[in-house]
Amino acid sequence: MTSQQYDYKVRDASGRFREGRVKAASETAVADKLRSMGYVPLEVSQAGVGMQREIHLFKPRVKQKDLALFARQLATMIDSGLTLLRALGILAEQMENAELRRVLSEVKLAVESGHSLSAAFAAHGDLFPALMVNMTKAGEAGGFLDTAMRQIAETFEADVKLRGKVKSAMTYPVVVFCLAIVMCLGMLLFIVPIFEEMFRGLGSELPLPTRVLVFLSRSMKYAVPVMALVGVIGLHWWRKHGQDPQVRAVVDPLKLKVPVFGPLFAKIALARFSRNLGTLLGSGVPILQSLEIVGDTTGSMVIGRALQDVARSVAAGESIAGPLARHPVFPPMVVQMIASGEETGAIDQMLHRIAISYDEEIETTTEALTSLIEPLMIAGLGMVVGGMIVALYLPIFSVFDLIE
């Protein structure tokens, strides 16, 4: 068989990424050679075929619901008696998300090379969150990997369901708000100029509301392109830097202080904190490690910093409830329930109860906000559009008065 050039990507024994080119008879021969050298093969492809080094302008995203589906299916397969390698091979072929299929193929290769599943997940830390890595590690150590995967799936599914409720409740107000902006801009840019041409022949001074409207119409011709440019630049900047610690240190505290929505953001973060900490502790992950992981999964740097302080206090020998009480972001109800869980030795169960309680509160709050916001936005839209129409017709009414 003729030898050909193959490009390869591997991870060495220390976990570092390497790539290069080698001459061999087939891709399988390349993979075998790389394993014999102590490397974990990640990708092997014939040099120059199919442009394997293509540039991905839009890398496929792996959402939390994709990870939840993967974890549940893996748990089901392991529980049914399939080997881990066989289950990973099946899932690497049938998952709908292309990026997840690619990564699972690499995870399977790593497991085949002798690495643990948690270590293979950790090598792709940008895709598999620390919560999933550590629960998998606990499941491997305790011999209950299928149960750990099922718990991961339930945790992710609960978080996806929570986000879905909030998004569905906020969709209508956001749509109405966007339509209101488009309608107002449309009137200022296209309707008001027509009336302005009519007003020039009246020969009298326009009423103040009309003059203000005409001024806004003229300003919008220059302001709209500027606002559009600023909006595009701002959106690009936010996507690139929105998760930077320096940015979140400013934005996250402000989110909790926003009128009406601040308490909702706090409840969402507390629900994630309770659910994730309860799941980790229930899986046997050490308390200090659990607190560190949970601090990064709540979505709020305020709670994350508070948990760092709690972890230091716990390391010094204190309970969990005591340090939590020193941070206003944790309500007394949460502190008391955690204290009760520590006393009874069922803190993981108590945390799950807190999470369920907050899930119900979030659902009730979003429904109440929707019921309150909808009529307010409709009334506000009517006042704005109605005010613009009245301002347009005031000069006409003045002409009628002069004729009379």
Side-chain angles (χ1 to χ4, degrees):
M1 183 179 294
T2 305
S3 297
Q4 295 179 342
Q5 294 284 344
Y6 288 90
D7 293 325
Y8 66 83
K9 297 178 182 179
V10 299
R11 291 189 185 276
D12 60 19
S14 61
R16 290 179 297 180
F17 177 81
R18 297 176 181 272
E19 59 182 324
R21 180 172 292 185
V22 67
K23 193 172 184 180
S26 65
E27 293 184 7
T28 304
V30 175
D32 292 339
K33 183 177 181 180
L34 293 172
R35 292 192 191 99
S36 66
M37 297 168 63
Y39 295 134
V40 178
L42 301 178
E43 181 180 335
V44 178
S45 57
Q46 187 174 341
V49 176
M51 297 300 292
Q52 293 294 329
R53 298 177 183 271
E54 64 204 270
I55 299 175
H56 295 280
L57 295 178
F58 300 98
K59 185 178 179 180
R61 291 180 56 195
V62 178
K63 299 181 180 178
Q64 200 169 29
K65 65 179 181 179
D66 297 321
L67 294 178
L69 178 62
F70 158 68
R72 185 166 294 282
Q73 291 182 345
L74 182 60
T76 302
M77 290 181 179
I78 295 175
D79 195 39
S80 300
L82 290 178
T83 64
L84 178 60
L85 284 175
R86 177 60 177 159
L88 289 173
I90 294 173
L91 292 174
E93 295 176 358
Q94 72 175 29
M95 295 302 296
E96 293 184 3
N97 188 287
E99 178 67 8
L100 184 56
R101 287 201 308 268
R102 183 189 68 80
V103 173
L104 287 179
S105 298
E106 297 178 4
V107 168
K108 179 176 178 292
L109 287 173
V111 173
E112 282 180 335
S113 303
H115 292 73
S116 65
L117 182 60
S118 58
F121 285 165
H124 300 277
D126 57 334
L127 189 148
F128 299 105
L131 176 74
M132 188 172 187
V133 174
N134 284 275
M135 286 188 65
T136 303
K137 187 175 182 179
E140 290 173 326
F144 53 90
L145 183 59
D146 55 337
T147 303
M149 283 295 157
R150 196 168 288 109
Q151 289 176 335
I152 291 170
E154 291 173 355
T155 301
F156 286 172
E157 287 167 353
D159 199 30
V160 170
K161 184 178 179 182
L162 178 63
R163 292 180 182 179
K165 288 179 180 178
V166 176
K167 286 181 179 179
S168 62
M170 294 294 107
T171 297
Y172 180 77
V174 170
V175 170
V176 172
F177 180 72
C178 293
L179 288 176
I181 293 177
V182 171
M183 189 179 301
C184 292
L185 288 176
M187 291 188 67
L188 290 171
L189 291 173
F190 303 106
I191 305 300
V192 175
I194 296 176
F195 278 82
E196 184 182 359
E197 292 292 331
M198 296 171 53
F199 298 154
R200 287 177 181 174
L202 295 179
S204 60
E205 185 179 8
L206 297 175
L208 178 61
T210 308
R211 295 202 304 271
V212 172
L213 195 62
V214 170
F215 172 76
L216 290 175
S217 176
R218 293 173 179 173
S219 302
M220 284 298 109
K221 295 178 182 179
Y222 306 98
V224 168
V226 174
M227 289 189 296
L229 179 61
V230 171
V232 171
I233 295 175
L235 181 61
H236 175 74
W237 182 89
W238 179 258
R239 286 183 175 179
K240 189 175 181 180
H241 300 286
Q243 296 303 315
D244 291 352
Q246 299 88 344
V247 177
R248 291 188 58 193
V250 177
V251 174
D252 287 359
L254 293 177
K255 286 171 61 177
L256 300 182
K257 296 177 182 178
V258 174
V260 182
F261 291 98
L264 178 61
F265 294 144
K267 290 175 182 178
I268 293 172
L270 288 169
R272 289 175 179 167
F273 153 73
S274 304
R275 182 180 298 108
N276 294 341
L277 183 58
T279 302
L280 287 168
L281 294 178
S283 300
V285 179
I287 178 64
L288 292 177
Q289 189 175 358
S290 298
L291 289 171
E292 181 182 354
I293 295 169
V294 169
D296 297 329
T297 62
T298 60
S300 172
M301 185 165 282
V302 177
I303 291 182
R305 288 179 172 176
L307 291 178
Q308 291 176 1
D309 180 66
V310 171
R312 287 192 291 268
S313 300
V314 171
E318 294 189 49
S319 63
I320 300 177
L324 285 178
R326 296 197 289 264
H327 298 276
V329 70
F330 297 102
M333 182 270 290
V334 173
V335 176
Q336 293 300 322
M337 290 186 70
I338 291 177
S340 176
E342 287 182 304
E343 293 173 0
T344 58
I347 187 173
D348 56 327
Q349 298 176 15
M350 194 64 70
L351 285 165
H352 282 299
R353 291 179 186 176
I354 295 172
I356 293 172
S357 174
Y358 273 114
D359 285 344
E360 294 173 352
E361 283 192 38
I362 290 167
E363 185 172 3
T364 303
T365 303
T366 51
E367 291 176 356
L369 284 175
T370 304
S371 302
L372 176 65
I373 290 173
E374 287 180 8
L376 289 177
M377 293 195 69
I378 292 174
L381 177 61
M383 291 176 61
V384 172
V385 176
M388 294 174 69
I389 293 175
V390 170
L392 288 175
Y393 279 92
L394 278 177
I396 299 176
F397 296 152
S398 300
V399 171
F400 289 156
D401 291 339
L402 292 174
I403 293 175
E404 294 176 358

